[in-house]
Amino acid sequence: MMTQLDPALREPRSAPPPPPPAPLVFSGDDLEHDRRTRHTTLWIAALLAALLVTLPVAVGLGPVAIEAGTVLQILRGHLFGGEPPGSWTDSEESIVLLLRVPRVLLGAAVGAGLALAGVALQALTRNILAEPYLLGVTSGASTLSAASILFGASAGIGSASLAGSAFAGALAAGIAVFLLARVGSQMTSTRLVLAGVSVGYVLHALTSLLIFASDDPNAGRSVLFWTLGSLTQATGQSALVTWAVVLGTTALLLLWSRPLDALAIGDSTAQTLGISPAKLRAAVMVVTALCVGALVAASGGIGFVGLIIPHIARLCVGSTHRKLLPVAALLGAIFLVWADVLARTALAPQELPLGIVTALLGAPLLFVLVRKLNPTQ
C-alpha cells in the first residue's frame, strides 16, 4: 500500500525559465523615416554653412574688392572691438558697414522670403507655376511706387516714402485679390489664380499708363529700374525689418505645415482631416501678401525666385512642408545674394537690375525642371 509523502517533504519544482526577450524589429517605414530625417538635417546644415560662407565673401565682392578676411576683421572690430588700428582703411570700413553688409543681409532676407511665398502659393493653388507675382501684390506695389516717383504730391502720396508707397500698394492689391477670389464663404484655388492674374494685368497696365503719361524721361527710367528690382536702397534698418517679417512668416508657415501638406493633395483630403480649405487659404494668403508687400517695398519687383527655388528644394528633400520650407528659405537666400553680386559686378561700375539677373539665371533652371517633369504632367 503506497503511502503519500507529506507535502512539506516533496522536492520543490523549479520555476519555468522566463521567455527570451522579443527581438527589436524595425519596420521599413521606421528606417525610411530615420533616413529621410537625417537626409533633411544634412541638407539644412550644408545650406546653412554655405550661407554663412557666402555672406562675408559677397560683402567683399563689388567694384571695390575687399578680401573676406578683411571683412571679418572689420565686422569683429565693429562688434567686439580689439582690432589694431590701421588694419584696414576708413573707406573700406565705410563700404563694408554702410553699403555692403546691409545690402547682403537684405538680399538674403528677400531671397528667403520670396522662396517661402512661392512654396505657400504653390500649395494653396496646387499650381506648379504659382509665385508671388500671381497674387498681383508685386504689381500693386509697382503701381503706387510709380505714382510716387512720377507725380509725387499730385498723386496724393508725396509725403510717403517709396517703401511706404510700395507696401500700401501691395496691401491694396492683396485685399483686391482676396475679395475677388472669395465668393460667399468659399475660396478655391482656381478663383485665387484667376483673381491674381486679373488684378496683376490691370495694375501692370496702370503702371505702364503712368510711365507713358509722365513728361520726365529720367523718372520713367527710375520707375523701370525699381520695378525690375534692386537692393541699392538697402539700409541696416530695412534689413532688420525685412528679416523680422521673414522670420515671422517662416514661423507661421511651419506651424501650418501639416495643413499645407493636406491642402496640396486636395480640398477633400483637407476636409477629411478636419481642415477648412477656405479658412486656411485666407490665412495663408494674408500672411503671404503681407510678407511679399514688405519684400517688394524693400527691393522692388524680383521675379523667378519664388517660382524656381521651391522646385529645386523639392528635388532635395521632397514635398513635405516641414522639411521643404527651411530648405527653400536657405536656397532662396543664397541664390539672391549671388544674383546681386553678379548684378553689381557684371557691368561695373554700372549696375544691372536684379530682376534681369534672376530671370537670366532662373530661365535655364526652369528649362531643366521642365525636362525632369513626369511625362504625364
Side-chain angles (χ1 to χ4, degrees):
M1 188 174 179
M2 297 181 61
T3 59
Q4 294 184 353
L5 293 176
D6 186 18
L9 300 177
R10 294 178 181 173
E11 294 183 3
R13 293 184 178 180
S14 59
L24 294 177
V25 178
F26 295 96
S27 66
D29 291 341
D30 294 334
L31 295 175
E32 181 68 15
H33 178 268
D34 291 342
R35 187 188 67 81
R36 290 181 178 179
T37 300
R38 288 194 301 269
H39 180 71
T40 304
T41 303
L42 288 175
W43 266 109
I44 293 175
L47 290 172
L48 187 59
L51 180 61
L52 293 177
V53 172
T54 291
L55 294 178
V57 174
V59 169
L61 296 176
V64 178
I66 303 173
E67 294 183 358
T70 304
V71 171
L72 292 176
Q73 289 179 354
I74 293 173
L75 293 177
R76 186 167 58 246
H78 180 72
L79 295 174
F80 307 108
E83 289 292 331
S87 299
W88 56 83
T89 65
D90 292 338
S91 61
E92 287 177 335
E93 182 174 1
S94 298
I95 290 172
V96 169
L97 297 179
L98 300 180
L99 299 177
R100 301 272 180 84
V101 169
R103 180 168 185 152
V104 169
L105 291 178
L106 180 61
V110 172
L114 290 174
L116 291 171
V119 171
L121 291 176
Q122 288 171 12
L124 288 188
T125 60
R126 296 193 295 276
N127 187 332
I128 62 175
L129 296 178
E131 63 164 335
Y133 273 91
L134 184 74
L135 282 178
V137 174
T138 304
S139 299
S142 300
T143 300
L144 205 54
S145 62
S148 176
I149 293 172
L150 294 172
F151 303 106
S154 63
I157 51 175
S159 61
S161 66
L162 180 62
S165 301
F167 187 71
L171 287 182
I175 292 172
V177 173
F178 179 84
L179 294 177
L180 286 174
R182 190 177 180 87
V183 177
S185 60
Q186 300 297 319
M187 181 189 297
T188 64
S189 59
T190 302
R191 287 201 206 102
L192 188 60
V193 171
L194 292 176
V197 171
S198 301
V199 171
Y201 272 120
V202 171
L203 292 174
H204 180 72
L206 184 57
T207 302
S208 300
L209 179 61
L210 291 174
I211 296 174
F212 181 77
S214 173
D215 296 329
D216 187 354
N218 293 326
R221 183 179 177 85
S222 299
V223 171
L224 181 62
F225 188 86
W226 190 87
T227 54
L228 290 175
S230 174
L231 300 177
T232 55
Q233 302 298 321
T235 62
Q237 182 180 5
S238 65
L240 290 176
V241 170
T242 306
W243 266 114
V245 172
V246 170
L247 291 176
T249 303
T250 304
L252 288 174
L253 292 179
L254 286 174
L255 184 65
W256 294 330
S257 59
R258 290 188 180 277
L260 285 174
D261 289 339
L263 190 63
I265 298 174
D267 287 8
S268 58
T269 302
Q271 290 171 346
T272 302
L273 297 176
I275 300 168
S276 172
K279 292 181 179 179
L280 180 61
R281 281 196 179 93
V284 175
M285 182 179 169
V286 169
V287 171
T288 305
L290 291 173
C291 177
V292 174
L295 300 179
V296 175
S299 62
I302 300 174
F304 267 93
V305 180
L307 173 62
I308 295 298
I309 298 301
H311 293 298
I312 298 176
R314 287 189 187 92
L315 293 177
C316 297
V317 295
S319 300
T320 303
H321 284 83
R322 181 173 57 85
K323 304 173 183 179
L324 178 62
L325 288 166
V327 171
L330 291 170
L331 282 172
I334 295 170
F335 175 80
L336 198 62
V337 167
W338 284 112
D340 181 57
V341 169
L342 185 59
R344 65 175 185 259
T345 58
L347 298 178
Q350 188 177 1
E351 182 172 325
L352 288 172
L354 192 51
I356 293 178
V357 178
T358 57
L360 291 175
L361 294 176
L365 294 176
L366 184 60
F367 297 155
V368 174
L369 291 173
V370 168
R371 300 292 299 176
K372 287 182 175 293
L373 280 177
N374 191 309
T376 60
Q377 290 184 290

